[in-house]
Amino acid sequence: MQYNFQEIEKKWQKKWKEQQTFAASNHTDKSKFYVLDMFPYPSGAGLHVGHPLGYIASDIYARFKRHQGFNVLHPIGYDSFGLPAEQYAIQTGQHPAITTEVNINGGIDNKDNVIAGYNNQLKKLGFSFDWNREVRTSDPDYYKWTQWIFIQLFNSYYNTSSQEARPITELVDIFSKEGNAKINACTSPIEIFSAEDWNRFSDKKKQHILLNYRLAYRAETTVNWCPALGTVLANDEVVNGVSERGGFPVYQKSMMQWSMRITAYAERLLSGLETIDWSESIKESQRNWIGKSLGAEINFAVADSETTVTIFTTRPDTIFGATYMVMAPEHPLVDQITTGTYYEAVNQYKDQSTKRSERERIADAKTVSGQFTGAYAINPFTYKKIPIYIADYVLYGYGTGAIMAVPAHDERDHRFAKHFGLPIVEVIKGGTDVQEEAFSSKEGICINSQILDGLTVKDAQAKIIAEIEKMKIGHGTTNYRLRDAVFSRQRYWGEPIPIYYKNDIPYALPESALPLLLPEVEKYLPTEDGDPPLGRAAQWAWDTENEQVVSNDRINHTTIFPLDLNTMPGWAGSSWYFLRYTDPTNHSCFADTKKINYWENVDLYIGGSEHATGHLLYSRFWNKFLKDYGYCAQEEPFQKLINQGMILGQSAYIYRINGTNNFISYNLLHEAQDTTPLHIDVKLLKGTTDEVDLEKLRNWRDEFKNAEFILEEGKFICGREVEKMSKSYYNVINPDDVCDEYGADSLRMYEMFLGPIEQAKPWNTQGLSGVHGFLKKFWKLYHSGEGETFFVSDEKPTKEEQKIIHQLIKKVKEDLDNFSFNTSISSFMIATNDLVKIKCYKREILESLCILISPYAPHIAEELWEKLGYENSIEFQAFPEFNAEYLVSEIHEYPVSFNGKVRFKIEMPISATPKEIEEAVMAHEKTPNYLDGKQPKKIIVVPKRIVNIVL
């Protein structure tokens, strides 16, 4: 009977759906295991074979845990808000909700493109997702709760004494009784006021003050502005000064924006990294992004001015070596201190710096640039005038946005000083010539530092901070590089922010009004006045009396007010989706606390490392906030994280002879002068070879119709190169095509066979054929009856058969525990070959083999399990138990030495005594030859090791 994978896979996918095989229960005595993949974004391009890599790994592990008796939650959903759908809507005029629906469920778009649909593609691969729990961030039933969480953040502040979020109403009560002098809270800079002051303030002023404490707040912020996209972008959405999506220029711009006070959680975000099982590289990325620094803030007076500039430094012990100051170009005091003759040059430099993202400015350590402002500061300890520069390696969002530069002991300051000819003064003795290179070690003895001379760096830091505080010119402090997260986006396709404005002060909508639905607009572009797309909505005002959205022309600023025109960023909905999966249809709360407490936290999370300082940081922040209010019990959302690598495509190139429309075959390139390589679609190749089908190529694009092709031995061969799989390289392989030709089980096993899950690896269709061939052989092992019919024997397995299967049980279990999926595939192949060789058809062996392979190749395993006579799914069969006794050999091969030289080997039972071994060796036919008539002086027998005859 042939292995009809297409029929088998359709059959079992249908059964799984009908029988709800993978539906997780919230009511069970079983231990839970929560496996999660990072939220996919449903693009119109659909999946290519690189996308399922992480899903296959998570699915294998989810199935393995079911075999171990766990109640497994393995859900799926879609991060369906986002810029790609909006850009497509702008181009076509089609509502993003329509295109998103087609992208998920399949259909025909308005350009008559047939879209397979993510749901169909994922189901075709046989993933054991609990489809009943599917969520979409663009579904109002979902984003109602995203908006609800925003309101909770808006109505909270962070108490730094208790290290937790607390209701903002607590602050109001304290302010009315004590003022804010004793408040320990994470806040924007704010003046001290008394209770009398507070009670005298107008409501507008009180609300302004509270904005400085709220965890979701609105303030003037420097942002990454992308004019072409008409929106603000997060730092992780900007690459080399352009938008990640579309490659449009991005500029630094000061705008009124919503932000999340993630900085309040900086210390908890750092300490939490020590409690989770993530790769050290991801942890280090987050540590660097958070950027904790211990140091001091010090006030420097500006010469001939009443202005003071506060700097932050991690090395206050080097203050006597500070020979210049550097401020961030966007620092608000720059315009104030700049002198007339330098004004134009300073403005020019500021404009240039707006074209670089913060990430670029941090990463570019070698480029030296800056501009003198014409102003000088007074070093408070040397009393010398030091010039003030602006340079884009200083960020306004880090520390105070200004530094004292000590070129003798900082590499970047040193390069800057050498470039601009500034003084370099050694204040830490380190044995190097600081005029040539910086001595940046934090160990050494202070010199040229008056009150610090002779002290170690550590002692000097404590003493100078004490002196700074005594002089009342600053204080010791802890700083973080982490910036508050800009939250608002000037686009249409996102969650509306549930805020209305009264006297320009933001007020939250009542929770009963949620969800605040996206309004209809005629176009998805910003308005002619520059407002975001929601500014085009005719009904976008809030009636406070009737608690409903009404027409804009009814705004009276008394009872009806304008609504916020921004939407939330793409990361909002993905910052809590793992909690919604625990209770996805709940209409009364975002998820029942009992269900959250049962399922949290995620035991295994799989996704790309590119989310290290975006999604992974924001979701940790939101989870900690929700824990503060008791909505969840765990501090961290994801216990173990695995970052899957990338599957690379094999691109195909043909080579045009420059100045002609002639193309030369790859192996003849040495005969041509100058050529230009061009990508062609890999589907134009013949089978799995590198030969180009010229008829297909001529019909592919007009430029090749009349081209001349120079062949080699009658064939036109292309060049190949391993690159990122991309539509623009024409090297994308559609998993649907692979499933049609080889089957989903072959695809699943091949992707795991390619190499370790964390590594990048190239796709090779020839390798896929090998895995498919193995599955045919595996199928045949169960069909050894007459005419290749199904056959198993109920005979008791031999010791050799038990040894083969228990070696495999041990190896597969170890591989699964260590997420080494690739080596299991090799073990399956070896075991199957061994069983075929010895013609093993024993039920006991083949049943265990079937369960072992089922996480990897579930369709063929289910079919064979049914043929073995079982009605219930193989999914919940117990994972085979390893028995070490079957791997203990009953025979040991002894090397026999004469005077230390091995002459031959002899097999003996493990149970043989030293006397029996000695007798067998002396009776061996080869022994007399090596004795050469002599009597042994000594016979040494080491059980299970060696035999040595001393002559």
Side-chain angles (χ1 to χ4, degrees):
M1 184 178 183
Q2 284 192 334
Y3 170 41
N4 189 338
F5 60 86
Q6 290 179 331
E7 184 180 298
I8 291 168
E9 290 176 0
K10 285 177 183 175
K11 168 186 170 180
W12 285 102
Q13 286 164 19
K14 184 171 181 285
K15 276 199 172 188
W16 290 332
K17 181 180 179 181
E18 290 171 350
Q19 296 173 2
Q20 296 288 290
T21 305
F22 311 120
S25 172
N26 287 326
H27 309 285
T28 176
D29 294 331
K30 288 184 178 181
S31 297
K32 69 91 184 180
F33 199 89
Y34 188 172
V35 182
L36 185 62
D37 302 282
M38 285 189 185
F39 239 3
Y41 173 77
S43 71
L47 295 172
H48 62 61
V49 291
H51 292 129
L53 180 67
Y55 304 147
I56 295 169
S58 69
D59 195 61
I60 288 170
Y61 205 77
R63 290 175 181 272
F64 168 56
K65 299 310 281 188
R66 289 193 191 96
H67 285 307
Q68 289 190 313
F70 286 88
N71 181 29
V72 175
L73 174 57
H74 189 207
I76 189 66
Y78 298 99
D79 194 6
S80 48
F81 272 136
L83 269 175
E86 181 154 344
Q87 286 302 107
Y88 189 77
I90 291 169
Q91 294 163 11
T92 64
Q94 192 169 21
H95 197 287
I98 297 172
T99 56
T100 300
E101 179 66 25
V102 171
N103 291 347
I104 292 174
N105 288 324
I108 299 175
D109 67 11
N110 67 346
K111 289 187 174 181
D112 294 326
N113 295 312
V114 177
I115 307 296
Y118 266 63
N119 274 358
N120 297 326
Q121 289 189 290
L122 291 171
K123 287 174 181 175
K124 196 167 185 174
L125 289 163
F127 295 130
S128 62
F129 294 133
D130 183 350
W131 287 97
N132 296 326
R133 296 177 185 252
E134 180 190 335
V135 300
R136 301 177 188 181
T137 55
S138 59
D139 183 342
D141 286 339
Y142 181 89
Y143 72 69
K144 166 184 179 177
W145 299 108
T146 308
Q147 293 172 334
W148 180 87
I149 294 172
F150 173 87
I151 290 174
Q152 309 316 303
L153 285 154
F154 179 75
N155 288 331
S156 299
Y157 79 103
Y158 195 80
N159 185 319
T160 53
S161 295
S162 60
Q163 285 291 302
E164 63 179 340
R166 299 296 303 162
I168 200 79
T169 50
E170 281 188 6
L171 273 185
V172 175
D173 187 52
I174 294 170
F175 290 166
S176 66
K177 295 174 182 176
E178 304 174 12
N180 70 342
K182 296 180 181 179
I183 293 290
N184 289 318
C186 187
T187 175
S188 308
I190 195 163
E191 294 180 6
I192 301 299
F193 54 82
S194 66
E196 291 75 18
D197 294 331
W198 174 263
N199 294 324
R200 197 169 53 244
F201 291 154
S202 67
D203 184 59
K204 183 173 183 178
K205 182 159 186 178
K206 287 178 180 178
Q207 293 301 324
H208 263 303
I209 291 170
L210 290 175
L211 276 176
N212 290 294
Y213 290 91
R214 294 183 188 275
L215 288 177
Y217 66 95
R218 194 165 178 263
E220 193 82 17
T221 308
T222 301
V223 296
N224 300 311
W225 174 249
C226 181
L229 294 176
T231 192
V232 168
L233 299 176
N235 283 329
D236 54 301
E237 295 173 317
V238 182
V239 180
N240 298 324
V242 298
S243 60
E244 185 181 37
R245 173 67 56 179
F248 301 112
V250 175
Y251 303 93
Q252 296 284 292
K253 183 178 179 180
S254 185
M255 295 177 68
M256 188 64 76
Q257 292 290 307
W258 281 100
S259 292
M260 288 283 169
R261 209 177 297 277
I262 189 174
T263 49
Y265 287 81
E267 194 58 40
R268 282 169 65 182
L269 288 167
L270 272 177
S271 61
L273 292 173
E274 305 308 314
T275 67
I276 50 181
D277 185 7
W278 293 14
S279 71
E280 194 55 37
S281 62
I282 292 291
K283 288 184 178 183
E284 197 59 24
S285 292
Q286 291 210 353
R287 288 190 193 106
N288 291 336
W289 193 252
I290 295 166
K292 182 178 181 179
S293 302
L294 302 176
E297 288 185 3
I298 309 170
N299 299 325
F300 280 64
V302 177
D304 305 317
S305 167
E306 295 183 0
T307 303
T308 297
V309 178
T310 302
I311 65 95
F312 170 73
T313 177
T314 59
R315 296 293 306 274
D317 54 294
T318 64
I319 194 166
F320 288 91
T323 59
Y324 64 98
M325 178 187 287
V326 182
M327 298 171 69
E330 63 272 24
H331 196 296
L333 290 180
V334 170
D335 288 346
Q336 188 175 325
I337 67 167
T338 300
T339 60
T341 53
Y342 291 94
Y343 200 77
E344 185 177 343
V346 166
N347 279 340
Q348 189 175 4
Y349 187 86
K350 286 168 66 177
D351 288 342
Q352 290 173 353
S353 72
T354 65
K355 298 173 185 175
R356 305 184 76 200
S357 71
E358 286 191 358
R359 281 195 173 184
E360 285 181 282
R361 288 164 63 178
I362 293 169
D364 187 7
K366 295 189 176 178
T367 302
V368 178
S369 72
Q371 174 59 49
F372 180 44
T373 63
Y376 292 83
I378 307 295
N379 185 318
F381 284 89
T382 66
Y383 303 108
K384 291 181 180 178
K385 285 185 177 183
I386 58 174
I388 303 175
Y389 283 76
I390 59 169
D392 59 10
Y393 75 87
V394 178
L395 305 175
Y396 183 57
Y398 176 63
T400 62
I403 65 163
M404 65 176 201
V406 185
H409 305 291
D410 181 272
E411 291 179 10
R412 202 161 196 172
D413 292 350
H414 192 279
R415 284 194 293 272
F416 194 94
K418 295 291 279 188
H419 183 81
F420 288 103
L422 298 166
I424 300 173
V425 177
E426 183 178 23
V427 291
I428 305 292
K429 192 159 185 63
T432 61
D433 181 0
V434 297
Q435 300 303 320
E436 296 303 320
E437 62 176 314
F439 176 68
S440 54
S441 172
K442 292 184 179 180
E443 295 182 359
I445 302 298
C446 293
I447 59 173
N448 302 322
S449 300
Q450 299 174 25
I451 60 172
L452 303 181
D453 283 350
L455 296 179
T456 63
V457 168
K458 184 177 180 181
D459 290 341
Q461 286 185 340
K463 183 166 184 176
I464 198 68
I465 288 174
E467 192 67 23
I468 288 165
E469 292 175 349
K470 180 181 174 184
M471 295 167 65
K472 297 184 178 179
I473 58 169
H475 54 87
T477 188
T478 300
N479 247 304
Y480 299 91
R481 184 180 294 115
L482 182 67
R483 295 278 302 275
D484 283 340
V486 176
F487 193 71
S488 43
R489 297 290 186 269
Q490 293 66 46
R491 67 184 192 209
Y492 175 77
W493 191 233
E495 301 92 339
I497 295 177
I499 290 289
Y500 68 93
Y501 290 90
K502 180 180 177 182
N503 296 326
D504 293 326
I505 296 293
Y507 290 84
L509 267 62
E511 293 175 12
S512 59
L514 302 179
L516 175 62
L517 299 174
L518 267 173
E520 292 296 322
V521 294
E522 56 175 330
K523 284 196 284 190
Y524 306 105
L525 291 165
T527 69
E528 287 70 17
D529 296 330
D531 286 333
L534 294 190
R536 295 181 178 276
Q539 282 201 301
W540 202 238
W542 182 248
D543 183 338
T544 55
E545 289 187 338
N546 298 302
E547 294 193 352
Q548 62 183 14
V549 177
V550 297
S551 174
N552 293 350
D553 56 20
R554 293 182 58 191
I555 293 173
N556 57 22
H557 299 289
T558 304
T559 59
I560 300 176
F561 303 93
L563 284 160
D564 197 287
L565 300 181
N566 297 288
T567 52
M568 298 184 192
W571 56 264
S574 62
S575 290
W576 71 281
Y577 75 113
F578 47 92
L579 296 171
R580 185 63 174 174
Y581 279 140
T582 67
D583 194 13
T585 58
N586 196 321
H587 296 294
S588 59
C589 60
F590 75 88
D592 181 82
T593 303
K594 289 181 181 177
K595 292 176 182 176
I596 292 175
N597 290 346
Y598 172 68
W599 285 112
E600 69 175 349
N601 47 12
V602 175
D603 296 284
L604 175 62
Y605 197 32
I606 296 183
S609 60
E610 67 272 15
H611 300 291
T613 57
H615 159 67
L616 287 172
L617 202 59
Y618 300 139
S619 54
R620 293 181 64 217
F621 160 44
W622 277 33
N623 192 82
K624 290 173 191 296
F625 169 76
L626 292 169
K627 177 182 179 290
D628 288 346
Y629 280 103
Y631 295 117
C632 56
Q634 298 293 328
E635 180 82 357
E636 292 292 335
F638 316 118
Q639 185 54 40
K640 182 170 183 63
L641 172 70
I642 292 178
N643 298 121
Q644 86 270 14
M646 187 183 294
I647 289 184
L648 304 170
Q650 268 209 317
S651 300
Y653 285 90
I654 60 173
Y655 302 86
R656 174 187 279 141
I657 299 173
N658 290 346
T660 73
N661 197 26
N662 299 339
F663 294 83
I664 188 166
S665 189
Y666 177 71
N667 294 313
L668 302 178
L669 281 175
H670 62 279
E671 298 178 8
Q673 294 293 322
D674 296 321
T675 59
T676 299
L678 301 175
H679 280 98
I680 63 166
D681 197 322
V682 292
K683 294 174 184 174
L684 302 175
L685 305 184
K686 292 184 176 180
T688 59
T689 71
D690 294 340
E691 183 184 356
V692 180
D693 186 320
L694 291 180
E695 184 179 349
K696 287 183 179 179
L697 178 61
R698 290 183 192 279
N699 293 328
W700 183 51
R701 290 214 309 240
D702 289 342
E703 63 186 286
F704 301 120
K705 267 189 169 49
N706 300 313
E708 182 179 330
F709 296 93
I710 303 169
L711 312 181
E712 52 179 288
E713 298 179 0
K715 298 178 180 179
F716 189 79
I717 306 299
C718 71
R720 304 302 296 268
E721 191 168 322
V722 174
E723 298 178 293
K724 177 182 177 181
M725 205 168 273
S726 168
K727 285 175 70 177
S728 62
Y729 296 159
Y730 306 108
N731 63 358
V732 168
I733 306 294
N734 188 326
D736 295 358
D737 297 337
V738 175
C739 289
D740 289 343
E741 188 171 352
Y742 298 98
D745 285 344
S746 294
L747 175 62
R748 290 168 63 105
M749 293 195 74
Y750 175 62
E751 293 215 2
M752 293 298 98
F753 187 53
L754 283 172
I757 182 69
E758 300 91 345
Q759 293 180 9
K761 42 255 175 186
W763 178 268
N764 185 335
T765 305
Q766 292 172 330
L768 182 60
S769 302
V771 171
H772 185 60
F774 157 70
L775 284 178
K776 286 182 177 178
K777 190 174 206 175
F778 186 85
W779 175 263
K780 199 171 180 179
L781 179 63
Y782 292 77
H783 293 80
S784 61
E786 188 176 341
E788 295 187 346
T789 56
F790 180 81
F791 171 76
V792 290
S793 164
D794 289 320
E795 290 180 54
K796 185 179 180 181
T798 64
K799 289 179 180 177
E800 184 180 5
E801 291 165 342
Q802 291 283 23
K803 182 179 180 181
I804 292 170
I805 197 65
H806 281 273
Q807 280 178 328
L808 183 63
I809 293 168
K810 181 175 185 289
K811 183 70 170 73
V812 172
K813 172 70 165 54
E814 288 173 352
D815 286 346
L816 286 166
D817 286 339
N818 294 305
F819 305 98
S820 302
F821 306 113
N822 56 310
T823 52
S824 286
I825 310 298
S826 303
S827 300
F828 285 129
M829 292 176 174
I830 293 167
T832 300
N833 285 337
D834 289 345
L835 293 172
V836 168
K837 279 180 191 174
I838 60 175
K839 297 182 179 179
C840 172
Y841 312 120
K842 310 288 174 60
R843 172 179 288 276
E844 185 179 330
I845 302 299
L846 296 188
E847 283 188 359
S848 293
L849 181 63
C850 196
I851 296 170
L852 287 173
I853 206 169
S854 67
Y856 295 82
H859 304 90
I860 193 173
E862 287 278 27
E863 183 69 10
L864 293 172
W865 192 249
E866 185 180 70
K867 284 174 174 283
L868 284 162
Y870 295 97
E871 293 182 4
N872 294 329
S873 170
I874 195 173
E875 189 72 12
F876 302 102
Q877 298 305 311
F879 199 78
E881 289 287 334
F882 168 63
N883 188 337
E885 290 180 9
Y886 290 116
L887 301 193
V888 177
S889 177
E890 295 184 357
I891 300 294
H892 181 75
E893 186 178 61
Y894 284 87
V896 180
S897 300
F898 291 81
N899 287 340
K901 289 186 178 180
V902 176
R903 297 301 186 181
F904 62 87
K905 295 179 180 179
I906 184 171
E907 289 186 346
M908 293 294 295
I910 291 292
S911 59
T913 65
K915 182 68 175 171
E916 291 170 335
I917 295 168
E918 181 181 322
E919 290 173 354
V921 169
M922 293 305 294
H924 196 278
E925 61 182 9
K926 292 184 179 180
T927 297
N929 296 334
Y930 296 108
L931 288 176
D932 196 22
K934 299 175 185 176
Q935 284 297 315
K937 292 180 181 177
K938 195 175 186 181
I939 300 176
I940 303 169
V941 176
V942 182
K944 301 180 187 177
R945 293 282 304 280
I946 59 165
V947 177
N948 187 30
I949 299 174
V950 182
L951 299 176

